[in-house]
Amino acid sequence: MLPRLAACAVIVAIVLLCQPRRDVPAVTVSAGVNLRDAPDVRAQRVAVLPVGTEVELGTCLADRSWCRVSAGGQSGWASARYLSAATDNGRVRLAESEEDLRVAVEPGSRTE
């Protein structure tokens, strides 16, 4: 039994190490923000994230208006106006960021 567990652990470690890595910036909430179940101000509120909450960034809409984030076991959509990322030149709002932040774009989203 022990050799099988060790073999499984090695396989899992190899798979995790071989995953492509995105250089995702450290993102925090710059003002209290509602976490919603869809990228719309009318969508159901999942949680409220207070100022300073560090979130894990998922994907953003192509126009950088909304981003998928998770924090404290909750996940959903947050307005990018209230999310800021650490850069070499200080903090920048995701809604105003340039492509150099390497924020992944939500498949199927497009700018109008």
Side-chain angles (χ1 to χ4, degrees), residues 25 85-92 101:
T87 68
D88 293 337
N89 299 322
R91 299 203 69 80
V92 64
L101 283 180

Side-chain angles (χ1 to χ4, degrees), residues 4-16:
R4 281 188 175 171
L5 287 175
C8 288
V10 169
I11 291 170
V12 168
I14 290 171
V15 169
L16 291 175

Side-chain angles (χ1 to χ4, degrees), residues 68-92:
R68 286 182 191 258
V69 298
S70 59
Q74 298 284 335
S75 61
W77 290 90
S79 173
R81 291 184 298 169
Y82 306 110
L83 302 174
S84 63
T87 68
D88 293 337
N89 299 322
R91 299 203 69 80
V92 64

Side-chain angles (χ1 to χ4, degrees), residues 84-108:
S84 63
T87 68
D88 293 337
N89 299 322
R91 299 203 69 80
V92 64
R93 287 186 181 171
L94 288 184
E96 301 165 356
S97 66
E98 299 296 325
E99 292 299 319
D100 62 337
L101 283 180
R102 298 183 198 144
V103 175
V105 175
E106 180 76 10

Side-chain angles (χ1 to χ4, degrees), residues 15-81:
V15 169
L16 291 175
L17 289 172
C18 293
Q19 294 295 313
R21 294 184 184 199
R22 264 192 313 139
D23 219 1
V24 179
V27 176
T28 57
V29 174
S30 59
V33 65
N34 290 316
L35 191 61
R36 299 193 178 271
D37 67 358
D40 189 310
V41 294
R42 296 174 305 258
Q44 182 176 356
R45 184 172 57 195
V46 176
V48 177
L49 302 178
V51 175
T53 302
E54 188 167 316
V55 298
E56 184 177 327
L57 182 64
T59 56
C60 294
L61 296 182
D63 66 0
R64 304 270 174 117
S65 58
W66 291 85
C67 296
R68 286 182 191 258
V69 298
S70 59
Q74 298 284 335
S75 61
W77 290 90
S79 173
R81 291 184 298 169

